Amino acid sequence: MNSIDQLQQMIDASSRIVFFGGAGVSTESNIPDFRSADGLYHQTYRYSPEQIVSHSFFMKNTEAFYEFYKEKMMFLDAKPNPAHLKLAELEKAGKLTAVITQNIDGLHQTAGSKNVLELHGSILRNYCMRCHKTYDAFYVKNATGIPICGECQGTIRPDVVLYEEGLDSSIIQKSIRAISDADMLIIGGTSLIVYPAAGFIDYFRGRYLVVINKDATAKDVRADLTIHDPIGKVLEQIHA
């Protein structure tokens, strides 16, 4: 039996599927990831990407942060790919209970997924640090230099979790609960390097653990099925 047939059988036998995904889910929508050979961490900048997307850099070098962020992290023309669309379809069919994502692009919701737990926030939400007025992504992207609040002239920041900042505790709790209650966990497009998110997998007690990722991950060894292919290419062959 080939791996796609195996995956289909596991999905057919499951009713509480949770998907845990990372940057590799959106690379097929032409959004670059961080850690692959041509990812952001392997490009040369004056500062490293980790430095730039840190809380302290944002506070001290806000203009340089936004220069990088607008060019390298805001892809407002990106469209959901077959992976996003299939996951939304599985949720609609009553098979998938949650999508837990490390991505900040909002493509799962654009594809139609309703229960999306965004561990690292979203580029689509932005707020003034002084008066908390909210702004959409287009306002931020189109601002010259640092986006400034139209109400109080405060600095606007994206609702994303930067390095040195903690994850939202309610999102963590919901993610752990979803994984604990799942009968099938599909991990896709993530190297499982970033903690604490990578540690969530240890809460899974269900029947099937599946890893779909182009490169090897730390969890391959205990997966019931491992597929080393782009996730969109794999999921578009599945029916809900």
Side-chain angles (χ1 to χ4, degrees):
M1 188 190 298
N2 70 32
S3 56
I4 300 295
D5 291 339
Q6 263 184 286
L7 178 59
Q8 185 69 62
Q9 272 196 359
M10 290 174 174
I11 288 172
D12 291 344
S14 305
S15 57
R16 293 186 314 282
I17 302 168
V18 168
F19 178 81
F20 183 100
V25 177
S26 292
T27 50
E28 288 166 90
S29 296
N30 297 317
I31 295 178
D33 67 358
F34 275 66
R35 288 184 169 79
S36 67
D38 53 355
L40 292 182
Y41 284 172
H42 293 276
Q43 297 177 26
T44 308
Y45 303 103
R46 194 169 149 211
Y47 303 97
S48 74
E50 279 124 323
Q51 266 182 295
I52 298 171
V53 291
S54 68
H55 175 83
S56 49
F57 190 92
F58 173 79
M59 298 304 285
K60 286 184 208 149
N61 305 280
T62 314
E63 192 159 1
F65 167 88
Y66 267 116
E67 199 179 306
F68 176 88
Y69 176 77
K70 287 183 206 176
E71 187 192 340
K72 299 294 183 183
M73 298 180 78
M74 296 188 85
F75 296 91
L76 304 186
D77 297 332
K79 300 283 187 288
N81 64 53
H84 299 107
L85 297 168
K86 187 60 67 177
L87 292 166
E89 204 183 306
L90 285 165
E91 183 187 55
K92 203 173 173 190
K95 303 284 285 178
L96 183 135
T97 57
V99 168
I100 302 168
T101 181
Q102 295 170 296
N103 295 341
I104 58 174
D105 50 47
L107 290 179
H108 285 294
Q109 290 94 327
T110 306
S113 288
K114 302 283 184 258
N115 189 26
V116 182
L117 299 167
E118 295 174 312
L119 294 172
H120 298 154
S122 172
I123 62 166
L124 304 182
R125 297 187 300 270
N126 306 273
Y127 62 91
C128 171
M129 293 169 73
R130 190 182 292 165
C131 74
H132 298 288
K133 179 176 163 66
T134 57
Y135 289 88
D136 66 18
F138 292 96
Y139 183 92
V140 170
K141 180 91 169 173
N142 296 326
T144 305
I146 300 168
I148 299 298
C149 176
E151 297 282 317
C152 74
Q153 277 64 62
T155 299
I156 295 168
R157 74 156 278 175
D159 187 11
V160 299
V161 180
L162 303 174
Y163 283 106
E164 304 163 354
E165 296 177 341
L167 302 187
D168 182 310
S169 58
S170 71
I171 300 288
I172 291 176
Q173 290 309 316
K174 285 176 187 168
S175 300
I176 289 171
R177 194 173 307 125
I179 289 170
S180 302
D181 292 344
D183 57 6
M184 179 175 185
L185 177 61
I186 302 173
I187 300 169
T190 174
S191 55
L192 292 175
I193 286 170
V194 179
Y195 278 81
F200 293 174
I201 314 306
D202 298 331
Y203 290 92
F204 179 61
R205 298 285 178 271
R207 193 170 172 196
Y208 301 119
L209 175 61
V210 176
V211 174
I212 306 169
N213 197 49
K214 283 202 292 188
D215 306 312
T217 71
K219 301 291 173 184
D220 282 6
V221 284
R222 50 171 281 217
D224 299 293
L225 175 65
T226 301
I227 304 175
H228 291 305
D229 274 318
I231 188 156
K233 185 181 157 195
V234 172
L235 289 187
E236 70 182 349
Q237 298 176 71
I238 295 299
H239 56 80

